[in-house]
Amino acid sequence: MDALIAEFPRFVGGFLGTLRLCLFAAIGALILGTVLAAFRVSPVPPLRFVGQAWVTVFRNSPLVVTLFIFAFGLPQVGIVFPTFGGNAFFWPGVAGLICYTAAFVCEAVRSGINSVPPGQAEAARAVGLTFQQTLGTVVLPQAFRTVVPPLGSVIIAMIKNSAIVGAFGVTGELFSVDAGNTALGYSALSSLTGVAIAYLVITIPAGIALGVIERKIEVKR
Amino acid sequence: MSTKPMIRMPMIRMTGVDKHFGDLHVLRDINLEVEAGQVVVVLGPSGSGKSTLCRAINRLEPIDSGEIAIDGELLPAEGKALAGLRADVGMVFQSFNLFAHKTILENVTLAPMKVRGTKKADAEKAGLALLERVGIANQKDKYPAQLSGGQQQRVAIARALAMKPKVMLFDEPTSALDPEMVNEVLDVMTTLAADGMTMLVVTHEMGFARRAANRVLFMADGEIVEDATPETFFTSPTTDRAKDFLGKILTH
């Protein structure tokens, strides 16, 4: 515990760094994943293909590879992300996490869409709503109710996955704090224990918050 | 029934309509014209294609060939034009299909606001009047699951009427109801028929057919085999299949 106590400000910095990274990535992944799920159930074949292809590519390739492509591969072909507070790896890290996580969000949301009785969409179409209106006002609001628990798991997995971004050098990210600590001579075990605890401080409240959201939206059924 | 237009334009016109479900030929060369204000009841044994006929009219079931026109306008294939036409065709389902996450009032105001662009206050005023008409106004803030089947179906009728439709389609509207709730729904439908609404009703309720219909269609194996007034159909059916059907349901 000596590392955690002595280097507490560094932990706090890393904690905030991870929180920031995950906030951007979670918002992006939830939006993109929902759009992809809409593509996958759309009546337009090219959109269905895009959704299907995205899930196939990003769900089936290792996150580390995806992140390295965003951080090191894309700049080689001229796609350079802007820096964030002097950090060149922040936005590639966020983008990689979004692309990867969106594939899982998409599948969770799609399972939610399939759980809504088909009569709901039929009734919406029968009163004259377009496909987008049917999805947006009738199907998705009901789908999200069943989708909160699996979506929560996806986001918590993403928070833990964000450690990989720290491993390849988003300084100020929680996992990267350990590299700094070991360089200062603290034992790896004590330093990593501190890192693990800091992740729990994010993920456990996230899980509790999800439980609250789940109960809130269930009342109305 | 009410005023006849100068040029005779059927409200629903089906010409040479065919549909298959795999090997099953559910609609065989259907030709049908329904005049404005007419109340048509579709009878027939299960699997005769009567529900499919009803659902084809607003393209919830796409057809294989033939033409369907509503008020002289051909049914568009997909997209905005189809949504626009569906807005003019009210539909009531066997299983109600009220929007489960919306209150009763919201169920009735959603489409006028989203599709017609009606202001919320106006939509709510009109919606409340409709709920009043079907006798559910005091339940306006409840959710569908809190209502009985009969109440839900009356809300579903109000929801369809909120779009001021030219035609109302009823796909077995009382088949999922407990017996004691059937009449409250049929009463609303009878009033609607008396008010001059063009209606196509798939049902097993012979009493409603006798009381409210101008015309009875009898379907068997995907074809319209009889097309007569209720009086003629119930007293002197011409085909054996209709006689057989009536014999089975009118004995008890």
Side-chain angles (χ1 to χ4, degrees):
Chain A
M1 284 293 106
D2 52 341
L4 180 55
I5 294 156
E7 298 297 323
F8 193 69
R10 284 162 55 92
F11 275 103
V12 172
F15 178 82
L16 292 176
T18 290
L19 214 54
R20 193 163 49 216
L21 184 76
C22 290
L23 203 66
F24 281 114
I27 292 169
L30 288 174
I31 294 171
L32 180 59
T34 305
V35 171
L36 287 170
F39 279 13
R40 290 206 65 177
V41 298
S42 117
V44 187
L47 292 183
R48 279 207 300 274
F49 174 80
V50 170
Q52 172 79 55
W54 190 288
V55 170
T56 306
V57 169
F58 284 101
R59 192 172 61 172
N60 294 319
S61 36
L63 174 59
V64 182
V65 177
T66 305
L67 286 171
F68 270 63
I69 287 175
F70 273 86
F72 305 111
L74 294 184
Q76 288 185 339
V77 293
I79 302 169
V80 183
F81 289 88
T83 57
F84 180 85
N87 185 340
F89 293 121
F90 183 82
W91 288 120
V94 169
L97 273 178
I98 288 176
C99 291
Y100 177 83
T101 311
F104 294 88
V105 171
C106 167
E107 290 303 273
V109 171
R110 196 168 65 94
S111 78
I113 290 173
N114 290 339
S115 77
V116 178
Q120 294 285 310
E122 258 183 12
R125 277 152 57 208
V127 288
L129 298 188
T130 60
F131 172 77
Q132 289 93 322
Q133 289 174 325
T134 299
L135 200 62
T137 58
V138 174
V139 178
L140 279 180
Q142 296 187 61
F144 277 124
R145 293 176 181 191
T146 55
V147 127
V148 170
L151 222 45
S153 301
V154 168
I155 294 303
I156 286 174
M158 190 208 73
I159 294 171
K160 295 185 292 175
N161 285 340
S162 74
I164 298 173
V165 180
F168 72 80
V170 172
T171 42
E173 194 279 337
L174 197 44
F175 189 63
S176 68
V177 170
D178 172 61
N181 284 347
T182 30
L184 288 172
Y186 292 103
S187 86
L189 184 62
S190 72
S191 175
L192 284 171
T193 307
V195 170
I197 290 170
Y199 273 108
L200 292 179
V201 171
I202 300 177
T203 49
I204 291 177
I208 293 169
L210 281 162
V212 172
I213 293 171
E214 205 185 321
R215 278 191 297 277
K216 267 246 160 74
I217 58 178
E218 221 151 31
V219 182
K220 279 184 175 182
R221 214 198 270 266
Chain B
M1 293 188 95
S2 51
T3 51
K4 286 238 166 93
M6 296 296 283
I7 306 161
R8 209 175 128 271
M9 174 89 81
M11 191 53 94
I12 304 171
R13 181 171 58 79
M14 302 177 85
T15 321
V17 171
D18 271 284
K19 170 154 184 93
H20 296 77
F21 282 130
D23 289 339
L24 186 68
H25 201 165
V26 277
L27 295 180
R28 294 170 193 260
D29 190 28
I30 299 286
N31 292 287
L32 172 68
E33 287 194 358
V34 177
E35 301 283 323
Q38 216 171 41
V39 177
V40 179
V41 163
V42 185
L43 302 175
S46 73
S48 58
K50 53 194 193 306
S51 269
T52 310
L53 175 93
C54 183
R55 292 162 55 84
I57 293 170
N58 67 353
R59 213 172 190 281
L60 283 181
E61 295 290 355
I63 53 173
D64 298 339
S65 58
E67 272 185 359
I68 299 176
I70 306 289
D71 201 12
E73 207 180 322
L74 277 182
L75 214 55
E78 261 309 327
K80 276 215 155 65
L82 179 62
L85 193 131
R86 280 178 178 150
D88 290 335
V89 180
M91 176 117 190
V92 175
F93 300 87
Q94 180 177 352
S95 47
F96 331 133
N97 294 347
L98 292 180
F99 304 132
H101 63 308
K102 300 276 186 196
T103 65
I104 297 311
L105 184 58
E106 286 167 350
N107 262 277
V108 181
T109 57
L110 178 77
M113 286 163 63
K114 289 272 172 192
V115 179
R116 302 259 195 248
T118 311
K119 285 203 186 72
K120 190 173 184 212
D122 297 338
E124 286 187 343
K125 206 173 140 201
L128 272 175
L130 280 168
L131 290 177
E132 197 76 57
R133 189 165 150 195
V134 299
I136 314 278
N138 55 345
Q139 317 271 16
K140 68 181 175 71
D141 295 321
K142 289 193 178 166
Y143 286 89
Q146 296 170 289
L147 266 56
S148 73
Q151 290 173 323
Q152 287 192 52
Q153 195 60 300
R154 285 185 279 153
V155 174
I157 294 172
R159 173 176 69 178
L161 290 176
M163 296 300 284
K164 303 191 174 67
K166 296 173 179 171
V167 189
M168 286 281 284
L169 307 173
F170 294 82
D171 185 7
E172 303 206 21
T174 56
S175 300
L177 295 176
D178 290 338
E180 75 270 24
M181 293 169 183
V182 168
N183 279 333
E184 63 188 69
V185 172
L186 290 180
D187 287 347
V188 170
M189 290 167 60
T190 307
T191 314
L192 203 55
D195 289 348
M197 174 63 77
T198 312
M199 292 164 64
L200 187 132
V201 185
V202 175
T203 187
H204 296 290
E205 296 297 329
M206 301 303 142
F208 175 78
R210 285 173 187 275
R211 185 166 72 233
N214 309 113
R215 183 176 170 192
V216 171
L217 302 179
F218 177 73
M219 285 186 76
D221 301 323
E223 288 176 300
I224 298 175
V225 292
E226 298 221 12
D227 183 349
T229 62
E231 176 66 19
T232 315
F233 178 75
F234 286 114
T235 52
S236 48
T238 52
T239 60
D240 287 343
R241 278 186 290 194
K243 283 176 196 161
D244 180 49
F245 176 76
L246 287 173
K248 276 179 188 153
I249 52 166
L250 294 181
T251 43
H252 53 82

